[in-house]
Amino acid sequence: MSPGVLVECDPSIKAIILKIDQDKHDYIVEDLDDQTLVIKENQLSSLKARLEEELANTQTMPDFSGSD
């Protein structure tokens, strides 16, 4: 078993991580609670890249044109 890294995040981000992991179970060692996971240390950078990709595909940028 590879060493794990404790990751704390919002439940919405955790849901995306769970979705990414559901096919091959490559990333999560243990699901601790609503905001905490243990991630395989050697997969952390890969998971970050996949998460950024997912967020880029689902997130819309706020319109700041009227603010200052």
Side-chain angles (χ1 to χ4, degrees), residues 13-41:
I13 299 297
K14 183 184 167 199
I16 296 170
I17 294 172
L18 290 171
K19 179 181 168 230
I20 291 170
D21 188 66
Q22 75 183 359
D23 293 333
K24 297 182 183 176
H25 305 290
D26 285 340
Y27 302 104
I28 298 173
V29 174
E30 194 168 348
D31 183 350
L32 299 177
D33 61 33
D34 289 349
Q35 298 181 348
T36 314
L37 295 163
V38 179
I39 303 294
K40 293 177 185 173
E41 186 175 20

Side-chain angles (χ1 to χ4, degrees), residues 1-65:
M1 184 168 118
S2 65
V5 177
L6 191 66
V7 175
E8 293 184 63
C9 55
D10 289 334
S12 59
I13 299 297
K14 183 184 167 199
I16 296 170
I17 294 172
L18 290 171
K19 179 181 168 230
I20 291 170
D21 188 66
Q22 75 183 359
D23 293 333
K24 297 182 183 176
H25 305 290
D26 285 340
Y27 302 104
I28 298 173
V29 174
E30 194 168 348
D31 183 350
L32 299 177
D33 61 33
D34 289 349
Q35 298 181 348
T36 314
L37 295 163
V38 179
I39 303 294
K40 293 177 185 173
E41 186 175 20
N42 61 349
Q43 293 289 344
L44 189 59
S45 60
S46 173
L47 177 60
K48 283 182 182 179
R50 295 260 327 254
L51 184 58
E52 287 174 10
E53 195 176 291
E54 284 287 323
L55 289 172
N57 291 336
T58 60
Q59 199 171 38
T60 57
M61 294 302 294
D63 180 11
F64 293 112
S65 61

